[in-house]
Amino acid sequence: MPPYSSAPVRGVPAGSPGALSASAKRTIAGLSLWWPASPLAFVLSTVVGLSSRDRGPFWEVASAVLLWSGIGGVVVAPAVGLLIAFRLRQRPARRRFAIMGAVSLVVCALALLFWEFAMECAPGQAC
């Protein structure tokens, strides 16, 4: 009889690098979903912030929470996801988070460039 078994493999052993715990899968999925939801958080933050000036402090806090959630989704989600994917040796997740980080960097650079041009003085005005 050969030293190996011809029985089908039912799953990956728990100690191997390919095995992912359920919490790691949920974390990768959550970070992957947080990133595309961040523009919605920015838009909601703007809508709530503009309409909350005469409503009360609760809506100002809600606007701030949405704003920081959007910023976290753009900045924190790709960085933490990339670290987790490297640690767990997940090649598809690494690729996904690297692309997410590159897109986030481009969008942030364009937003800063737009902000710089928007803050420029009008002709004839002293700044």
Side-chain angles (χ1 to χ4, degrees):
M1 189 158 145
Y4 57 87
S5 173
S6 61
V9 177
R10 301 264 183 226
V12 180
S16 69
L20 280 179
S21 66
S23 64
K25 287 180 182 180
R26 282 192 296 266
T27 303
I28 288 174
L31 290 170
S32 296
L33 292 174
W34 186 17
W35 183 75
S38 61
L40 180 63
F42 278 123
V43 170
L44 286 175
S45 169
T46 304
V47 169
V48 170
L50 291 175
S51 65
S52 70
R53 296 193 179 182
D54 47 334
R55 283 192 193 173
F58 171 76
W59 294 104
E60 292 176 13
V61 171
S63 176
V65 167
L66 286 169
L67 176 69
W68 285 108
S69 174
I71 291 172
V74 170
V75 177
V76 175
V80 171
L82 192 60
L83 290 174
I84 291 172
F86 268 119
R87 176 76 172 103
L88 296 175
R89 296 179 181 96
Q90 292 296 310
R91 190 177 206 74
R94 276 189 286 190
R95 199 173 317 129
R96 180 174 56 240
F97 286 117
I99 291 170
M100 287 166 51
V103 170
S104 292
L105 282 175
V106 168
V107 168
C108 289
L110 289 175
L112 288 174
L113 184 66
F114 174 75
W115 182 260
E116 186 65 33
F117 286 137
M119 292 295 120
E120 206 171 85
C121 295
Q125 290 185 350
C127 292

